[in-house]
C-alpha cells in the first residue's frame, strides 16, 4: 500500500550545518505516528520541509505517491497537508467563529470575499458549529482569541488545521505550555481525531507519545535513529541510552 506521506533521502543543509540527513520516513494512512528526539534533533526542520516552509537541499516528499517536493505551502494545504506550530499562529482579534469561518471559506475558494462576515454564509455555519463542538470551543465561540485561555488557543489552532480537511495533520507539540488543568482537553481532542486522518505528532512528553502513537520515529542529529512500534522503541537500549533514559526497574519512563 502506498503511504499517505513519504520522504526519500530528505536533507536540509544550512551552509556547513546538516539539520536533516537522509531522512526516509513513511506515514501510513490513518496512522498515529509520533516523531520524537532531543532538542536540536531536526524535528521541526523536518516538519517545515514537509509543509513547504523550508525547501529541502535534496531528496523527495511524496503525498499519496505524488511528488510535492517543490510545491509551495498553500498548494500542499489544498492537496491535504495541514499543521499546527510550536507557537500559536492565530488571528488575535478574531473570535473562534470568525477564525473558523475564514478558514472554511478559504478552503471553499471564497476567502477573498472579505466584505462578507466569516461564518455568515449558510454553507459554512453548520461546519463551524460542528468544529466548535468537536474541539470544545462552543463555550468561548464569541471570545476574542487574544483573550482565550492558552489551552483554548491551542484547541483553536488544531480546529483551524482540521478545517482544511487534511489527509495528514502535523501537530507540533500541541500541549506545550498548556497548564496541567487544561491539558486533558488537548489530549481528548487529539485522541478524537477521525481514524482516516493520518496524524504526525511531535512531542516531548513521553506519556502523551506512548498513549497516542501506533508508530514512533526517533530523530537524533537530523537522522532517523529508530523507527517502529511503541513497544519496540521503548525496549530499544539505544533509545533508552540516548533519549528516553531508563528507570530503576529497567522500563522507559
Amino acid at each position: 500500500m502506498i503511504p499517505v506521506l513519504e520522504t526519500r533521502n530528505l536533507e536540509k543543509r544550512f551552509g556547513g550545518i546538516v539539520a536533516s540527513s537522509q531522512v526516509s520516513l513513511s506515514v501510513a494512512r490513518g496512522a498515529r505516528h509520533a516523531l520524537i528526539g532531543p532538542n536540536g534533533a531536526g524535528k521541526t526542520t523536518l516538519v517545515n520541509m514537509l509543509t513547504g516552509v523550508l525547501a529541502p537541499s535534496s531528496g523527495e516528499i511524496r503525498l499519496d505517491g505524488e511528488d510535492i517536493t517543490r510545491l509551495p505551502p498553500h498548494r500542499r494545504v489544498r492537496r491535504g497537508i495541514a499543521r499546527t506550530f510550536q507557537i500559536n499562529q492565530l488571528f488575535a482579534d478574531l473570535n473562534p467563529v470568525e477564525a473558523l469561518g475564514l478558514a472554511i471559506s478559504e478552503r471553499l475558494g471564497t476567502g477573498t470575499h472579505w466584505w462578507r462576515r466569516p461564518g455568515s454564509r449558510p454553507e459554512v455555519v453548520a461546519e463551524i458549529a460542528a468544529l466548535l463542538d468537536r474541539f470544545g470551543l462552543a463555550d468561548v465561540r464569541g471570545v476574542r482569541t487574544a483573550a482565550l485561555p492558552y489551552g483554548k488557543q491551542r484547541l483553536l489552532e488544531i480546529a483551524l488545521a482540521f478545517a482544511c480537511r487534511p489527509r495528514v495533520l502535523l501537530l507540533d507539540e500541541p500541549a506545550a505550555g498548556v497548564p496541567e488543568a487544561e491539558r486533558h482537553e488537548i489530549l481528548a481532542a487529539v485522541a478524537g481525531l477521525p481514524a482516516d486522518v493520518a496524524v504526525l505528532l511531535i512531542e516531548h512528553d513521553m506519556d502523551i507519545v506512548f498513549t497516542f502513537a501506533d508508530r514512533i520515529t526517533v530523530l537524533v542529529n537530523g537522522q532517523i535513529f529508530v523507527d517502529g512500534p511503541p513497544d519496540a522503541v521503548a525496549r530499544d537500549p539505544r533509545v533508552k541510552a540516548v533519549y528516553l533514559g531508563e528507570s530503576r526497574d529497567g522500563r522507559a519512563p
Side-chain angles (χ1 to χ4, degrees):
M1 181 180 293
I2 296 174
V4 66
L5 181 64
E6 181 183 20
T7 69
R8 300 178 180 177
N9 301 318
L10 204 62
E11 290 201 359
K12 182 61 183 178
R13 296 182 292 275
F14 298 95
I17 299 174
V18 180
S20 293
S21 176
Q22 297 293 308
V23 175
S24 293
L25 176 72
S26 179
V27 179
R29 299 177 191 276
R32 297 298 185 256
H33 196 134
L35 184 66
I36 68 174
N39 289 331
K43 302 183 296 297
T44 296
T45 296
L46 176 58
V47 170
N48 283 339
M49 287 191 287
L50 294 175
T51 55
V53 174
L54 287 176
S57 302
S58 61
E60 290 185 1
I61 304 168
R62 292 183 171 270
L63 180 67
D64 274 335
E66 180 183 359
D67 190 343
I68 63 166
T69 310
R70 302 303 168 190
L71 287 184
H74 70 280
R75 291 185 61 189
R76 298 189 198 205
V77 172
R78 293 193 181 280
R79 298 289 179 93
I81 297 179
R83 73 172 294 183
T84 65
F85 294 81
Q86 285 181 330
I87 300 174
N88 285 338
Q89 306 290 311
L90 297 171
F91 300 103
D93 290 329
L94 299 184
N95 63 43
V97 168
E98 293 166 337
L100 290 168
L102 185 60
I104 296 166
S105 297
E106 181 62 27
R107 190 194 77 225
L108 296 174
T110 59
T112 56
H113 297 178
W114 53 267
W115 63 90
R116 300 184 67 179
R117 182 182 176 188
S120 65
R121 296 186 278 283
E123 66 270 27
V124 303
V125 170
E127 187 173 348
I128 291 172
L131 288 168
L132 291 171
D133 287 339
R134 174 184 284 274
F135 292 98
L137 296 166
D139 58 335
V140 294
R141 58 187 299 134
V143 178
R144 182 170 167 266
T145 296
L148 291 175
Y150 191 63
K152 294 292 188 182
Q153 291 184 23
R154 300 297 278 184
L155 286 167
L156 177 58
E157 189 172 27
I158 298 172
L160 288 168
F162 187 72
C164 298
R165 299 272 180 92
R167 285 177 280 168
V168 181
L169 180 58
L170 310 177
L171 302 178
D172 196 346
E173 297 190 50
V178 177
E180 191 65 34
E182 300 175 37
R183 285 166 63 88
H184 70 280
E185 290 187 286
I186 306 292
L187 302 183
V190 172
L193 290 169
D196 61 341
V197 177
V199 181
L200 182 61
L201 173 77
I202 296 178
E203 187 53 68
H204 284 290
D205 187 319
M206 291 300 99
D207 288 336
I208 295 175
V209 167
F210 283 99
T211 299
F212 164 84
D214 54 34
R215 190 167 191 88
I216 297 175
T217 299
V218 184
L219 282 184
V220 176
N221 296 326
Q223 297 179 308
I224 292 181
F225 189 64
V226 174
D227 180 85
D231 288 348
V233 171
R235 291 194 305 265
D236 193 303
R238 297 170 299 167
V239 176
K240 293 178 181 180
V242 171
Y243 183 55
L244 291 178
E246 186 169 351
S247 62
R248 291 182 180 179
D249 61 2
R251 293 181 301 177

